[in-house]
Amino acid sequence: MTLWISGYILLLVKFGLVLGCLLFLAAYLVWAERKLLARLQIRYGPNRAGKFGLLQPIADAVKMITKEDIIPAEADQSIFLLAPTVVAATALLMFAVVPFGESLAIMGQRIPLVITDLNVGLLFIFALSSLGVYGVALGGWASNSKYSLLGGIRGAAQMISYELALGLSLVPVVMLAGSFSLVDIVNAQSGYPYILVQPVSFAVFFISAMAESKRIPFDLPEAENELGAGYHTEYSGMRFGLFFIGEYVHIQVLGALTAVFFLGGWHGPFLPPFVWLLVKMIFIALVMIWIRGTLPRLRYDQLMALGWKVLVPVSLVNIIVTGAVILMVG
Amino acid sequence: MTIHSIIFYLLSSVVIVSTGIAVTRRDLVHAVVYLIFTFFGTAMIFYLLGAPLLAALEVIIYAGAIMVLFLFIIMMIRTEPSTAPLIPPGQWWPVIGFCLLYITAGFLFMYQEPDFWVFLTPAMATPGAFGRFLFQTHWLSIEIISLLLLIAVIGALVLGKPAGKKPNKTNGNRI
């Protein structure tokens, strides 16, 4: 019984720590994005709230929470209210299987530094990311506005298409590690990170991950200059904030997943494991911001052609080649 | 009553109730949302019974891919709410008949099967063991099903091709 209770307390502590870190980082990622993007466009970015605008996330949070939560008169109320939570919750839950260090030993007990080590961890992430589509599609539909509906439909089409490439790009990683568990995948990379043996997989994964998080150059579901704000046009206050949090948590999760699958996870010299994972995550997030500041938006047919005609075939060939090499080497 | 069976009955009631609500909704999008709950509940039952791989695949394929396609079509058509009764009076008899049939079959199965009252021991099938079993004992059916899917893909490709002219590169399929 005491083992149960201590297990529960431990789980709650881990939940609290991970959630706190994720939300804090999400807030400051917004700040970093605004700052970096401004510099890339030769502007200053936020610089009024605190030194270097460092208090800007707090000001934004206060604004979001105190703003009126408007529901359009013709909207489908229950679905309209629920859609943002689906986006935020699926993004946050994905972090549950990401390992952030080797197991700790406290008072003779081994404490794994991961919320839960599922033996189908990788599929768990896919399941959540495929459920995340509903937040976008239903949010767009429930608003009962043409812009939102178009954004929602675009979002659903885009996310289904790129999920395929995302899944196929990770098959070689699973073949190399021999496991769906993220802990095992990280442990298998103690010698060398998989980016060295699977550069094609890495490229396909990174492109489709960016498309999944709906960022420039793949931000067609919310293309400002055609659709207002796309699927979240009608949202205000904290419900809009939840979509926003979902997006930035998603960036971190994708950073963490890229680190776990290709960059060796928490492995690294000198620094403690947790810091290594954080460094890799933030590095990838910054690269994503850099790409956002550099590339123009794709046209819709280009987006679909890239997904179906380039990324899917390339990853299929990559799977066959990897399989052949593994068979030959033994 | 172990904690396993309590969770099992909770999940199955979620599945049954949400399926019931799904088939009686007027609003098709609401029906789809309830059906997603059904699939989600089914996945949880798979997980509870020690098949995490099946649970994940259930969510990815049924809840995550097939239902999104349903939603996709429904979102694009505007259906007018009708006031006609959901089940016309003449159709009540088959409904009641089939319900009774299933309930009797269920109860018969419960009392005829000697192992019915034995509690299942908690088990866990790893993805590797599951795959090995599937491809060693059922490889032929898997090949047949994949051939069927291949034919469906080719069929979709043929049907989707614009008749008579070559597909235009830039204006191919823009939404």
Side-chain angles (χ1 to χ4, degrees), chain A residues 296-314:
Chain A
R297 182 181 303 133
L298 289 175
R299 215 173 50 213
Y300 197 80
D301 59 316
Q302 291 171 331
L303 175 91
M304 285 297 155
L306 177 69
W308 290 99
K309 294 182 187 163
V310 180
L311 296 183
V312 170
V314 164

Side-chain angles (χ1 to χ4, degrees), chain A residues 201-280:
Chain A
S201 263
F202 172 74
V204 174
F205 176 80
F206 194 64
I207 294 172
S208 3
M210 263 196 311
E212 278 284 296
S213 62
K214 304 180 288 300
R215 291 177 57 75
I216 289 175
F218 301 103
D219 70 332
L220 284 112
E222 41 189 297
E224 307 88 330
N225 39 10
E226 337 169 3
L227 295 182
Y231 59 92
H232 55 61
T233 308
E234 303 293 335
Y235 282 89
S236 65
M238 204 51 215
R239 288 190 202 280
F240 167 74
L242 280 176
F243 274 126
F244 213 60
I245 288 176
E247 181 179 337
Y248 282 86
V249 170
H250 211 196
I251 294 172
Q252 292 172 57
V253 169
L254 293 173
L257 292 181
T258 316
V260 164
F261 294 136
F262 296 103
L263 305 178
W266 44 262
H267 287 294
F270 311 124
L271 295 172
F274 172 71
V275 178
W276 263 115
L277 186 69
L278 204 66
V279 166
K280 288 170 184 171

Side-chain angles (χ1 to χ4, degrees), chain B residues 36-163:
Chain B
I36 295 164
F37 278 112
T38 304
F39 286 130
F40 207 72
T42 320
M44 290 295 116
I45 289 178
F46 276 136
Y47 188 78
L48 189 72
L49 297 179
L53 186 74
L54 278 184
L57 290 182
E58 172 94 15
V59 175
I60 294 172
I61 295 170
Y62 285 94
I66 294 178
M67 293 322 287
V68 172
L69 290 181
F70 273 55
L71 193 67
F72 208 73
I73 305 299
I74 291 170
M75 265 163 56
M76 289 202 263
I77 50 173
R78 188 178 287 273
T79 46
E80 294 301 323
S82 74
T83 46
L86 200 65
I87 302 173
Q91 289 178 10
W92 272 108
W93 292 112
V95 171
I96 295 169
F98 273 110
C99 283
L100 281 178
L101 194 73
Y102 276 110
I103 291 170
T104 356
F107 273 104
L108 274 179
F109 184 71
M110 260 163 76
Y111 288 100
Q112 299 277 311
E113 188 68 33
D115 290 342
F116 181 80
W117 299 105
V118 180
F119 279 113
L120 280 176
T121 45
M124 175 68 93
T126 59
F130 177 79
R132 211 160 280 133
F133 173 76
L134 203 64
F135 279 92
Q136 272 172 357
T137 47
H138 298 291
W139 58 272
L140 187 65
S141 24
I142 290 173
E143 291 304 321
I144 293 171
I145 292 168
S146 32
L147 201 67
L148 199 69
L149 287 176
L150 185 69
I151 294 168
V153 169
I154 295 170
L157 239 149
V158 171
L159 286 178
K161 223 174 186 175

Side-chain angles (χ1 to χ4, degrees), chain A residues 48-261:
Chain A
R48 296 290 136 172
K51 195 113 180 105
F52 308 117
L54 270 173
L55 298 178
Q56 188 69 38
I58 299 165
D60 281 344
V62 171
K63 184 195 84 173
M64 295 271 194
I65 292 169
T66 51
K67 211 172 166 180
E68 188 187 353
D69 180 21
I70 298 168
I71 304 168
E74 293 289 305
D76 187 311
Q77 203 163 350
S78 49
I79 294 185
F80 185 82
L81 295 182
L82 275 174
T85 52
V86 174
V87 171
T90 48
L92 284 167
L93 275 172
M94 274 189 224
F95 218 88
V97 289
V98 173
F100 39 87
E102 218 170 3
S103 50
L104 273 181
I106 296 176
M107 290 185 292
Q109 274 193 33
R110 236 183 89 255
I111 299 172
L113 282 183
V114 52
I115 291 178
T116 169
D117 177 19
L118 276 180
N119 65 5
V120 288
L122 196 140
L123 296 175
F124 173 79
I125 286 168
F126 284 131
L128 284 174
S129 94
S130 61
L131 288 180
V133 180
Y134 288 114
V136 174
L138 288 175
W141 175 82
S143 307
N144 208 350
S145 130
K146 288 197 177 67
Y147 288 144
S148 302
L149 181 65
L150 280 174
I153 289 175
R154 279 189 188 183
Q158 174 177 335
M159 287 165 89
I160 304 176
S161 310
Y162 279 83
E163 221 160 71
L164 217 64
L166 194 75
L168 288 174
S169 73
L170 287 179
V171 173
V173 171
V174 175
M175 284 158 86
L176 285 175
S179 171
F180 281 122
S181 154
L182 269 65
V183 174
D184 293 346
I185 290 174
V186 170
N187 288 339
Q189 294 178 73
S190 55
Y192 53 90
Y194 281 160
I195 187 173
L196 298 178
V197 281
Q198 287 293 344
V200 180
S201 263
F202 172 74
V204 174
F205 176 80
F206 194 64
I207 294 172
S208 3
M210 263 196 311
E212 278 284 296
S213 62
K214 304 180 288 300
R215 291 177 57 75
I216 289 175
F218 301 103
D219 70 332
L220 284 112
E222 41 189 297
E224 307 88 330
N225 39 10
E226 337 169 3
L227 295 182
Y231 59 92
H232 55 61
T233 308
E234 303 293 335
Y235 282 89
S236 65
M238 204 51 215
R239 288 190 202 280
F240 167 74
L242 280 176
F243 274 126
F244 213 60
I245 288 176
E247 181 179 337
Y248 282 86
V249 170
H250 211 196
I251 294 172
Q252 292 172 57
V253 169
L254 293 173
L257 292 181
T258 316
V260 164
F261 294 136

